[in-house]
Amino acid sequence: MQASSSHQHFASLALAYAKSELARGGKEAPTRALHVLAWLGVGGPFIPFKAPSKGVPAASVLTADTVLQARRGFQSQLSQILSASASFDAKAGAVVSAAALFEELLPGLAAANASVGAAVGKGSGVGAAMALYQHAVDAVPVEAQTMNAAVENLRVKQCGMLLAYSSSRHPAVTPGQTRAALLQALEVYPYSGRLLGMLAECEQRGHTLSRLRLHLTKRCQDTPAALLWLMAIKAEAVLPAGSHRVQALFEQAVSEKSGQHFPLLWRCYMSYEMHRGRLDAARRVMLRAVHTCPGAKALWLDGLQFLAEQMPGTERKDLLQLMTAKGLHTRTDTYEILLKTAAQAP
């Protein structure tokens, strides 16, 4: 029975089920995952996986006919989904991801089951999975991709797969392909923390951090954003003699409109100065931070907690009073509350 469109509603569940089977590990894990994904492609009632009798390989549970039917079912569902690419949502993304995972796992099944190997040939594996991801992404207009979380998630999965296989030196994927895919995705989603993190990992593994620094610096100049500043600072911080560069980047970041009202940047800046033992500099950063972001309670608490010994008692008292005037209150015990209430009573 060919999969009906109603099965698309179960795609997220089936995908999560298949991933949980892979996470369990064991020799049967890929076959168990394929069994779930094949049901999503073929359709019909779900039949739980039954391990074969002792001495019979688990791969024999899935027949060549079932695999081919599942492939045709996925093709039918994908055609239906991509014909309405303007409304691409999380359900559609789950179907694409499930079909890609199905193709990714097929070579292992084909190697253990000769009839499946003869049926699917060499048109499966990482290359087929990547082609599915790319076909789905290309079907959505670029202008519609920018605000579409489902497409962004597909990009992340595509790049994550490339990164994983290039790291394991898989012959079908090179570090250059991975980097090109990441840069292409970042053109559409320049502020994606997941994509930026993968780019940093890719460059670090390739010992090309200077290229990452140039990329992030250019991004910060073209489209400044707090996340990009933090990534650029992190890239510099791993270098042995990058302290002056890190401090300069912090100053640029908190001077830009995109970063000066972002409390996390100020907190990182203050923490960095404390880590270097520059407590006076950290105190100055803290005072600038609470002046710029007076409503950020975490900033006040960081400063009062870590820099209390560097401040005179009168300054601490003034800061606490100012904090209270801004509508921010610290936790205190019941006794102190009663004393304060009694002092304010007429």
Side-chain angles (χ1 to χ4, degrees), residues 211-327:
R211 197 162 56 183
L212 174 65
R213 293 165 60 200
L214 290 173
H215 171 79
L216 291 172
T217 301
K218 184 177 183 302
R219 286 291 183 187
C220 288
Q221 293 172 350
D222 296 343
T223 54
L227 178 61
L228 292 176
W229 285 115
L230 286 173
M231 290 293 298
I233 290 166
K234 184 179 179 181
E236 293 290 342
V238 298
L239 300 177
S243 57
H244 296 296
R245 175 67 177 157
V246 169
Q247 186 175 6
L249 282 174
F250 267 124
E251 282 296 329
Q252 290 180 50
V254 297
S255 300
E256 289 279 348
K257 289 182 178 179
S258 60
Q260 61 183 195
H261 297 291
F262 193 70
L264 182 59
L265 264 175
W266 287 105
R267 294 177 68 191
C268 291
Y269 192 3
M270 184 166 54
S271 176
Y272 176 72
E273 293 291 16
M274 286 190 292
H275 180 72
R276 295 175 66 196
R278 291 162 46 91
L279 299 181
D280 286 339
R283 175 175 165 273
R284 291 193 296 271
V285 171
M286 184 261 184
L287 294 175
R288 290 168 59 194
V290 297
H291 176 75
T292 308
C293 306
K297 186 175 182 178
L299 274 176
W300 293 88
L301 294 180
D302 281 358
L304 292 170
Q305 180 180 357
F306 299 116
L307 299 172
E309 295 181 0
Q310 305 300 315
M311 298 179 182
T314 54
E315 186 174 8
R316 290 200 302 270
K317 181 180 177 181
D318 291 342
L319 284 173
L320 282 169
Q321 289 177 347
L322 182 59
M323 183 178 174
T324 304
K326 298 293 183 182

Side-chain angles (χ1 to χ4, degrees), residues 70-94:
R71 265 188 162 180
R72 288 193 292 268
F74 277 126
Q75 289 173 1
S76 175
Q77 292 183 60
L78 291 173
S79 298
Q80 182 183 353
I81 288 169
L82 299 181
S83 63
S85 57
S87 58
F88 195 92
D89 57 9
K91 288 189 294 185

Side-chain angles (χ1 to χ4, degrees), residues 137-194:
V137 169
D138 291 342
V140 182
V142 176
E143 58 273 12
Q145 291 184 26
T146 54
M147 301 299 292
N148 193 316
V151 179
E152 180 182 358
N153 195 41
L154 281 188
R155 292 269 197 182
V156 169
K157 288 182 177 180
Q158 179 187 28
C159 293
M161 182 185 291
L162 281 169
L163 183 62
Y165 279 101
S166 65
S167 301
S168 61
R169 301 183 183 276
H170 193 279
V173 182
T174 66
Q177 288 175 308
T178 305
R179 185 174 187 274
L182 283 165
L183 291 177
Q184 184 182 21
L186 283 166
E187 288 293 329
V188 185
Y189 306 104
Y191 308 126
S192 171
R194 293 179 293 176

